[in-house]
Amino acid sequence: MRIDYLWHSEFMIHIKNKSGDYIKIMSDSWLSDFVAWDMMARNPRIKLDYEKLKSIDAIFLSHSHLDHIDPYTLIDLFENLEKKPDIFLAETLAFLEPLFVKNLKNVNIIILENKKTIDYKWLKITWLIYKNSFITNEDDVMTLFIENEDELIYSDVDTEPGSNFEVLEYMYEFFNKKNYSQVIYLATRNELEWNLKLVDAKNIKERQKIDSEYRAFRKEEIVREYEKFEVEWINSFYETKNLSKIFIWQWIVFPKEINSEVFCLNTMKLEQVKDIEEKTARKFGYKTNFSYFKWWQSYIIENNVIKNIWNIDYLSEIDLIDVKQDLTLDFFRKLNFAPLNNEKREIRKQKEIILDLINNRFFPYALANLEIPLKDAILESSRKKYCIKIRYGTKDDFENIYYVFDFGKLKFEIENLEDDYFNEDYWANDLEDFYNWTQELYSNFLHKLDEKKSYRLWTFLWSNFLNNDLLYKKFELHFTRAKNKESINEFVLKHYE
């Protein structure tokens, strides 16, 4: 098989079916320079050459994040490919089907069901959704198995099995249901959280400490990944014959237009993760092959060996900033005390929206969420209440409104709190933007947040299924912009002004 690594979690697989034809399946679709909701950028940035890329058989769309489902890339593909691809859509995203039908001309959508196998052009394709014991913003992620008569590839997309024993057992059984000549496990790794901590460090010493702590944490985490098979007495898919685990890197960066120097503020490289895991696997007696993919490379894999590597032939442009780690960089991020869009709004309308968000959306979730219970926050508070402070207005002219709940109330109510007591705080403009999907959870990369507080309301607004109507509005906004040839670059960069 051949795999073209398009960077982040995007790749194109060329796999031979039983009639001898190579079928091209693209996994996820973010090829734009920027991602709208994180307000972040790609590195490297790439452009497709449609003189060389004439067709794709299918595009798999795994979940509802814009760095996986990119309306701008999808519009571009459907306008320029000679042969239009089928769209494999996770069943958790079926509510978005009307948008794809409306915006992608003559699209053929195949809704994928969990743990179901379909025959597609003489290949077998199976999908798996992980069950979570707590609410996350990735509850809708669907992972992917593709197999022919002799080979199997599995991509965990934007998640990892961790200690989910049901998933681990399913993977073991699937990898070993027949004697494949090669089993390829594409494992996506994401170091963004810790890279951002390096950017937000207050001084060089703190930055170096963060990096050291993360390296120790990752080593311990990898050891626990292998220990669990022995401690819990569960079957280990690492025992699979002819298994290769290949790491790919889900990585986004601050726009180079703002400051490309900060690219050097990164923690472990992918090859370092690979080396640690390989050494750990050997200690536990596993013979799994380990490797990692580099950006914009094509790989031929035969009999569990990577045989050929070359640059992807259908890329017309590659724009890369490649820098070594430098934790001594004299850069320390400072965020403005202001809403992301610092402009005057209609406050009466904002108050209606926010009261509805708090009492009719957030409140039931907060009471029922056992991971960070609202009840416990009140019981442990000296004030015996929970308060959300909202700033209505702009940086230089705003009014504080306090929304309070305690056990003597049936819902959140407005109170006057002269001592400025609150559990979490927001700008009304930011919440209104979230409601209208011009911001979302990871727009907080550009927000000044108190690390000691839990921002329950902001986190809730990106909970899957609870807010699918807002998710729909997000994709509708960006499909409309893409069809109108409006630039994603402009949408993101204006927030850095």
Side-chain angles (χ1 to χ4, degrees):
M1 70 174 73
R2 168 182 158 186
I3 302 175
D4 304 333
Y5 183 35
L6 297 164
W7 197 237
H8 202 61
S9 60
E10 279 71 24
F11 62 90
M12 185 98 71
I13 180 172
H14 308 241
I15 186 169
K16 189 183 293 186
N17 64 16
K18 65 181 181 181
S19 67
D21 299 320
Y22 278 94
I23 305 302
K24 289 186 288 188
I25 299 175
M26 183 175 171
S27 182
D28 284 326
S29 62
W30 179 47
L31 303 183
S32 296
D33 292 348
F34 296 89
V35 59
W37 53 333
D38 302 73
M39 309 300 177
M40 302 281 267
R42 244 181 172 267
N43 182 44
R45 301 179 187 180
I46 60 175
K47 293 289 183 290
L48 299 175
D49 182 348
Y50 290 106
E51 292 298 316
K52 296 179 179 178
L53 181 65
K54 301 289 188 181
S55 67
I56 300 172
D57 291 286
I59 301 174
F60 167 57
L61 301 177
S62 63
H63 63 296
S64 59
H65 291 187
L66 280 170
D67 58 335
H68 296 265
I69 300 179
D70 178 13
Y72 300 89
T73 295
L74 289 170
I75 292 290
D76 186 61
L77 288 168
F78 269 76
E79 288 181 349
N80 289 286
L81 289 172
E82 290 183 4
K83 178 185 175 186
K84 311 308 178 189
D86 296 324
I87 294 292
F88 293 155
L89 191 64
E91 64 176 318
T92 49
L93 304 177
F95 69 98
L96 294 175
E97 184 177 6
L99 276 179
F100 290 97
V101 171
K102 177 182 177 181
N103 291 285
L104 303 177
K105 187 176 181 180
N106 300 323
V107 65
N108 178 44
I109 298 176
I110 301 171
I111 301 293
L112 317 172
E113 297 182 27
N114 185 40
K115 296 184 179 180
K116 297 292 186 181
T117 300
I118 68 167
D119 291 313
Y120 181 78
K121 299 188 175 183
W122 294 283
L123 296 172
K124 291 192 177 297
I125 308 180
T126 308
W127 291 272
L128 175 65
I129 297 173
Y130 296 1
K131 292 180 181 178
N132 296 315
S133 57
F134 53 90
I135 296 173
T136 78
N137 64 72
E138 294 178 342
D139 281 345
D140 59 351
V141 176
M142 178 173 269
T143 65
L144 172 69
F145 298 85
I146 304 174
E147 57 184 313
N148 58 21
E149 296 293 303
D150 196 40
E151 304 167 299
L152 170 66
I153 181 170
Y154 172 66
S155 171
D156 62 16
V157 182
D158 191 12
T159 185
E160 54 184 317
S163 294
N164 189 322
F165 298 152
E166 179 183 353
V167 169
L168 293 170
E169 187 64 34
Y170 190 90
M171 290 173 65
Y172 173 82
E173 292 177 359
F174 208 107
F175 287 2
N176 291 279
K177 67 180 183 178
K178 62 188 292 187
N179 188 22
Y180 296 102
S181 66
Q182 57 183 5
V183 176
I184 307 300
Y185 174 15
L186 275 186
T188 307
R189 290 296 169 263
N190 189 340
E191 315 294 340
L192 179 61
E193 177 184 355
W194 288 82
N195 287 344
L196 288 174
K197 289 182 179 181
L198 295 179
V199 173
D200 287 334
K202 297 179 179 62
N203 52 60
I204 291 172
K205 186 175 180 180
E206 180 181 322
R207 185 178 288 157
Q208 292 170 334
K209 181 181 178 183
I210 290 170
D211 183 63
S212 177
E213 288 176 347
Y214 180 62
R215 291 171 184 273
F217 166 77
R218 282 294 284 133
K219 288 179 181 179
E220 293 174 3
E221 186 179 50
I222 289 171
V223 169
R224 288 196 300 271
E225 178 177 340
Y226 287 85
E227 282 181 338
K228 66 176 176 271
F229 295 109
E230 295 183 355
V231 173
E232 302 295 339
W233 291 88
I234 55 177
N235 290 317
S236 172
F237 61 79
Y238 290 107
E239 296 173 352
T240 302
K241 185 180 179 182
N242 300 326
L243 172 65
S244 288
K245 186 173 185 179
I246 301 175
F247 295 101
I248 60 176
W249 205 353
Q250 186 162 277
W251 192 37
I252 57 177
V253 296
F254 287 102
K256 68 177 184 178
E257 290 83 352
I258 308 305
N259 188 334
S260 62
E261 289 183 336
V262 298
F263 288 16
C264 71
L265 297 180
N266 56 73
T267 184
M268 297 176 67
K269 296 287 189 182
L270 203 56
E271 53 265 40
Q272 294 171 318
V273 175
K274 171 258 179 187
D275 289 343
I276 293 171
E277 181 143 349
E278 187 170 30
K279 290 176 183 177
T280 304
R282 298 296 177 258
K283 288 180 181 179
F284 282 84
Y286 295 116
K287 298 179 180 179
T288 304
N289 293 323
F290 290 89
S291 189
Y292 66 95
F293 283 168
K294 296 180 180 179
W295 36 46
W296 79 72
Q297 301 287 296
S298 287
Y299 297 83
I300 296 290
I301 308 173
E302 293 181 5
N303 297 317
N304 221 30
V305 176
I306 296 176
K307 295 210 169 185
N308 297 92
I309 307 172
W310 62 86
N311 291 346
I312 297 173
D313 56 3
Y314 50 82
L315 296 184
S316 60
E317 294 181 30
I318 300 171
D319 181 4
L320 168 70
I321 296 177
D322 187 14
V323 294
K324 294 182 179 180
Q325 184 194 61
D326 180 7
L327 301 183
T328 65
L329 178 70
D330 187 20
F331 174 89
F332 302 96
R333 187 165 67 136
K334 294 180 177 64
L335 293 171
N336 288 331
F337 177 75
L340 192 58
N341 292 300
N342 189 38
E343 60 193 19
K344 289 185 177 181
R345 303 270 181 92
E346 187 180 341
I347 291 179
R348 182 188 61 80
K349 179 182 177 182
Q350 284 185 320
K351 287 182 176 179
E352 291 177 359
I353 291 172
I354 289 171
L355 189 62
D356 176 66
L357 285 177
I358 290 175
N359 275 329
N360 296 327
R361 289 181 183 264
F362 169 71
F363 186 46
Y365 154 89
L367 288 178
N369 187 347
L370 299 181
E371 186 183 8
I372 49 172
L374 185 63
K375 177 190 73 174
D376 290 0
I378 296 171
L379 291 173
E380 294 168 5
S381 167
S382 60
R383 303 287 291 270
K384 299 298 180 183
K385 60 179 62 179
Y386 195 86
C387 177
I388 301 173
K389 180 172 77 171
I390 310 295
R391 301 181 192 90
Y392 288 89
T394 63
K395 174 183 178 180
D396 299 317
D397 182 19
F398 64 87
E399 171 192 13
N400 290 330
I401 301 292
Y402 300 88
Y403 297 84
V404 178
F405 174 73
D406 59 42
F407 296 130
K409 296 180 174 63
L410 296 177
K411 58 184 179 180
F412 278 86
E413 298 176 2
I414 295 175
E415 288 189 7
N416 294 319
L417 298 178
E418 296 181 359
D419 60 351
D420 197 34
Y421 170 83
F422 60 91
N423 297 86
E424 49 186 302
D425 60 311
Y426 306 93
W427 290 93
N429 285 12
D430 291 330
L431 289 177
E432 183 183 19
D433 288 347
F434 207 140
Y435 183 79
N436 292 321
W437 276 108
T438 53
Q439 289 194 58
E440 58 83 65
L441 178 65
Y442 295 114
S443 304
N444 65 13
F445 295 159
L446 300 183
H447 286 262
K448 189 176 182 66
L449 303 177
D450 186 341
E451 293 181 359
K452 298 178 182 179
K453 294 185 181 295
S454 295
Y455 287 83
R456 290 173 167 85
L457 174 57
W458 192 261
T459 301
F460 152 74
L461 284 170
W462 186 231
S463 299
N464 301 117
F465 310 116
L466 295 171
N467 297 293
N468 276 359
D469 58 327
L470 302 185
L471 270 174
Y472 191 96
K473 289 165 66 175
K474 173 185 75 171
F475 283 103
E476 186 173 44
L477 167 69
H478 289 291
F479 267 120
T480 300
R481 293 188 84 258
K483 289 194 78 172
N484 291 337
K485 305 303 179 185
E486 296 179 69
S487 168
I488 180 60
N489 303 32
E490 177 187 349
F491 181 89
V492 172
L493 288 175
K494 69 179 181 182
H495 292 101
Y496 285 86
E497 293 176 356

